């Protein structure tokens, strides 16, 4: 390598301005700003920071110094950029092209700043390796962020899909939607027990209309919930077992040993009966209502 | 050694556990309660565990034992005020306390015991019928 040629880090320092201009031009041309998710000034800052961090992370021979502080801060900066892009809804290739589009400007700078052909080839090879590595890291950080988002959404869905509804004074309903796995059961159980305490409920109706399949494991989870509710002093009724599921359960030999009703309405009627309440029709509806709730005490029974 | 007080309320015995249960205390309670049921001819035992934050398998088994002993002596056990976390723990331990009746609070537990005493009275012919039916 001829001595009059500069090192890669020096090249970067000398041609920083041109590289930046060209890089931003390329990014703009590739449509990074088109969707309006990121401002031009923001992009410019990201590019500037990236180049200065990159200079700090380079060894004199042009390879990345993985033990340096510069490398660590370069990675954290890159991670931050991919995280924000993942959240803003950029596609993986859009995110990766932030780094990969730096290749062209770097090659041009090397071309201008180096005379010897062998030095040029070696610099281009090193730059290529360097940009590839950083690009891969970007994708990794992007995927990680997406996984975090998915995990959070899963948690939110699990929480949203297990509401506890108060049907009547002392009667709670728990419509279960989706598969009952161990983790869901835990959430369902906690929600139900907490509501039993808060509402002083005597009867809880677990409606499994929204549960697609009931196997032995699901049945076991249901039974656990029922047992826990019983320990708190509340009776459970299971409703909404669909005909096919009932057949499958019998074929599998799954037994629930709990009062079960075909639908929520029947279960609610049973709950009212246990509470010694009834819904009766009113012959003359004074205010346009068809029926009115009357408890046996009110009727003087 | 401190003991858990057992209060007599009509035909029922009321036990309110206010301190952390350790095994020795639990065994003493079982013994005291058995003696008291026999002495007072109680028909119901109400155990309030609303202050208990930790229930292990030993205490769970003790509750089951007390219920079994009471049944032999013709008294019904009602455990009231169990906390959600405790209920989940017991279920996970496989202790569903099948022989024990449960209620949300002391008031409802007392109603359960009174209902039973009342039903017995009707059976014996002391009372004609239940007033609310």
């Amino acid at each position: 390598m001829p001595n009059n040629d500069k090192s890669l880090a020096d090249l970067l320092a000398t041609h920083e301005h041109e590289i930046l201009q060209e890089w931003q031009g390329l990014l703009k041309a590739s449509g990074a700003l088109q969707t309006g998710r990121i401002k031009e000034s923001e992009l410019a800052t990201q590019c500037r920071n990236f180049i200065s961090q990159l200079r700090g992370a380079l060894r004199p021979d042009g390879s990345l110094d993985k033990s340096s502080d510069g490398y660590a801060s370069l990675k954290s900066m890159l991670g931050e950029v991919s995280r924000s892009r993942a959240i803003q809804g950029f596609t993986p290739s859009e995110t990766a092209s932030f780094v990969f589009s730096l290749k062209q400007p770097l090659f041009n700078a090397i071309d201008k700043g180096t005379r010897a052909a062998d030095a040029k080839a070696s610099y281009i090879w090193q730059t290529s390796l360097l940009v590839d590595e950083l690009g891969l890291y970007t994708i990794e950080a992007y995927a990680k962020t997406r996984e975090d988002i998915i995990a959070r959404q899963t948690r939110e869905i699990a929480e949203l899909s297990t509401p506890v509804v108060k049907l009547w004074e002392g009667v709670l309903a728990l419509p279960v939607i989706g598969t009952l796995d161990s983790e869901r059961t835990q959430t369902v159980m906690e929600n139900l027990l907490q509501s039993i305490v808060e509402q002083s409920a005597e009867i809880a109706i677990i409606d499994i209309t929204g549960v697609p399949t009931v196997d032995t494991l699901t049945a076991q989870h249901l039974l656990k919930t029922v047992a826990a509710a019983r320990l708190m002093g509340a009776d459970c009724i299971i409703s909404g077992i669909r005909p096919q599921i009932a057949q499958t359960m019998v074929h599998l030999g799954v037994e629930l040993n709990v009062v079960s009703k075909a639908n929520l309405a029947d279960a609610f009627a049973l709950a009212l009966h246990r509470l010694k309440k009834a819904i009766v029709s009113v012959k003359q509806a004074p205010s346009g209502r068809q029926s009115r709730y009357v408890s046996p005490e009110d009727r003087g029974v | 050694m401190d003991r858990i007080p057992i209060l007599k309320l009509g035909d029922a015995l009321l036990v309110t556990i206010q301190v952390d249960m350790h095994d020795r205390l639990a065994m003493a309670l079982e013994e005291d309660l058995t003696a008291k049921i026999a002495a007072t001819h109680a028909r119901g035992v109400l155990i309030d565990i609303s202050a208990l934050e930790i229930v292990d398998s030993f205490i769970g088994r003790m509750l089951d034992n007390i219920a079994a002993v009471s049944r032999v002596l013709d008294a019904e056990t009602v455990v009231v005020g169990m906390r959600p976390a405790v209920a989940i723990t017991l279920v996970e331990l496989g202790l569903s306390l099948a022989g024990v009746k449960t209620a949300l609070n002391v008031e409802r537990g007392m109603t359960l015991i009174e209902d039973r005493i009342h039903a017995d009275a009707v059976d014996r012919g002391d009372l004609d019928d239940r007033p609310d039916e």
Side-chain angles (χ1 to χ4, degrees):
Chain A
M1 202 180 296
N3 283 335
N4 58 348
D5 280 330
K6 297 166 186 163
S7 75
L8 201 54
D10 288 338
L11 265 176
L12 209 57
T14 326
H15 298 279
E16 183 170 346
H17 188 68
E18 300 156 46
I19 293 176
L20 258 175
Q21 288 295 324
E22 199 180 344
W23 189 20
Q24 282 176 31
L26 278 171
L27 280 174
K28 255 180 258 175
S30 70
L33 292 170
Q34 264 171 14
T35 45
R37 283 175 293 208
I38 186 165
K39 282 196 224 77
E40 189 168 352
S41 58
E42 202 179 334
L43 187 67
T45 319
Q46 283 176 354
C47 292
R48 228 180 359 261
N49 283 345
F50 181 79
I51 297 276
S52 68
Q53 303 272 18
L54 181 62
R55 267 168 52 200
L58 278 179
R59 279 210 199 93
D61 67 349
S63 62
L64 279 170
D65 185 2
K66 294 201 175 166
S67 58
S68 70
D69 292 342
Y71 183 69
S73 64
L74 175 68
K75 271 204 153 177
S76 79
M77 183 251 163
L78 208 51
E80 194 45 56
V81 169
S82 354
R83 241 192 311 284
S84 67
R85 292 191 181 214
I87 289 166
Q88 281 163 340
F90 281 83
T91 64
S93 43
E94 276 169 345
T95 309
S97 69
F98 172 72
V99 174
F100 285 128
S101 58
L102 180 60
K103 250 186 199 178
Q104 186 71 47
L106 283 180
F107 287 174
N108 289 345
I110 291 167
D111 199 29
K112 266 183 251 163
T114 331
R115 244 165 271 136
D118 54 344
K120 211 178 269 187
S122 128
Y123 277 163
I124 284 182
W125 172 241
Q126 273 172 6
T127 318
S128 191
L129 279 182
L130 186 144
V131 173
D132 286 353
E133 191 185 329
L134 293 174
L136 281 178
Y137 179 74
T138 316
I139 288 296
E140 219 169 87
Y142 178 89
K144 173 97 185 31
T145 313
R146 290 283 283 252
E147 273 164 27
D148 288 347
I149 293 174
I150 292 171
R152 182 172 52 83
Q153 285 173 341
T154 314
R155 272 200 308 279
E156 277 169 12
I157 290 172
E159 213 149 281
L160 278 179
S161 56
T162 49
V164 182
V165 191
K166 180 183 174 184
L167 287 185
W168 204 266
E169 202 64 53
V171 185
L172 292 178
L174 179 82
V176 186
I177 317 272
T179 323
L180 261 186
D181 54 19
S182 330
E183 213 172 297
R184 275 291 290 291
T185 314
Q186 194 71 22
T187 325
V188 167
M189 216 193 266
E190 278 167 19
N191 282 354
L192 178 66
L193 298 191
Q194 199 52 48
S195 308
I196 288 175
V197 175
E198 280 164 13
Q199 318 264 355
S200 334
E202 284 177 56
I203 295 171
I205 301 171
I206 303 178
D207 185 77
I208 57 167
T209 314
V211 179
T213 49
V214 175
D215 54 12
T216 43
L217 205 62
T218 315
Q220 203 199 339
H221 288 146
L222 274 175
L223 287 180
K224 264 189 188 173
T225 313
V226 172
R230 197 193 73 86
L231 284 177
M232 304 271 308
D235 279 332
C236 277
I237 304 171
I238 290 182
S239 75
I241 303 175
R242 273 174 283 141
Q244 299 96 316
I245 290 183
Q247 278 180 322
T248 330
M249 281 169 70
V250 171
H251 288 161
L252 280 173
V254 175
E255 267 192 57
L256 284 177
N257 289 327
V258 196
V259 182
S260 57
K261 289 277 168 191
N263 54 47
L264 188 60
D266 290 348
F268 182 52
L270 176 65
L272 284 181
H273 178 75
R274 284 202 190 156
L275 293 174
K276 300 196 182 76
K277 312 258 173 175
I279 293 174
V280 295
S281 301
V282 174
K283 275 173 197 147
Q284 288 165 333
S287 56
R289 280 187 295 173
Q290 285 305 301
S291 68
R292 185 168 67 91
Y293 163 77
V294 179
S295 72
E297 295 95 291
D298 293 343
R299 281 184 285 152
V301 179
Chain B
M1 197 184 84
D2 49 340
R3 293 196 170 235
I4 292 170
I6 302 168
L7 314 173
K8 186 173 177 292
L9 261 174
D11 276 341
L13 294 178
L14 176 62
V15 182
T16 311
I17 300 172
Q18 302 278 10
V19 290
D20 274 344
M21 283 291 260
H22 47 83
D23 296 0
R24 198 69 89 63
L25 195 59
M27 280 156 73
L29 175 66
E30 191 180 330
E31 224 163 89
D32 290 354
L33 201 54
T34 318
K36 196 96 173 193
I37 295 170
T40 60
H41 307 284
R43 309 300 314 281
V45 178
L46 196 115
I47 305 175
D48 176 24
I49 59 165
S50 55
L52 267 193
E53 283 180 37
I54 298 164
V55 170
D56 58 12
S57 56
F58 186 84
I59 308 292
R61 220 180 58 231
M62 185 231 26
L63 289 174
D64 236 353
N65 275 353
I66 288 180
V69 171
S70 314
R71 217 170 12 251
V72 174
L73 297 171
D74 194 27
E76 187 167 54
T77 309
V78 182
V79 171
V80 303
M82 191 181 291
R83 295 183 178 210
V86 171
I88 292 174
T89 314
L90 281 183
V91 170
E92 294 297 339
L93 285 173
L95 284 167
S96 54
L97 304 185
V100 185
K101 282 208 169 182
T102 49
L104 192 71
N105 50 36
V106 175
E107 195 180 0
R108 288 205 186 143
M110 222 51 207
T111 316
L112 274 180
I113 291 179
E114 275 163 11
D115 281 355
R116 174 176 168 186
I117 293 171
H118 199 92
D120 286 354
V122 173
D123 281 350
R124 282 203 308 271
D126 290 354
L127 289 165
D128 288 339
D129 202 0
R130 300 175 68 149
D132 56 341
E133 273 183 353

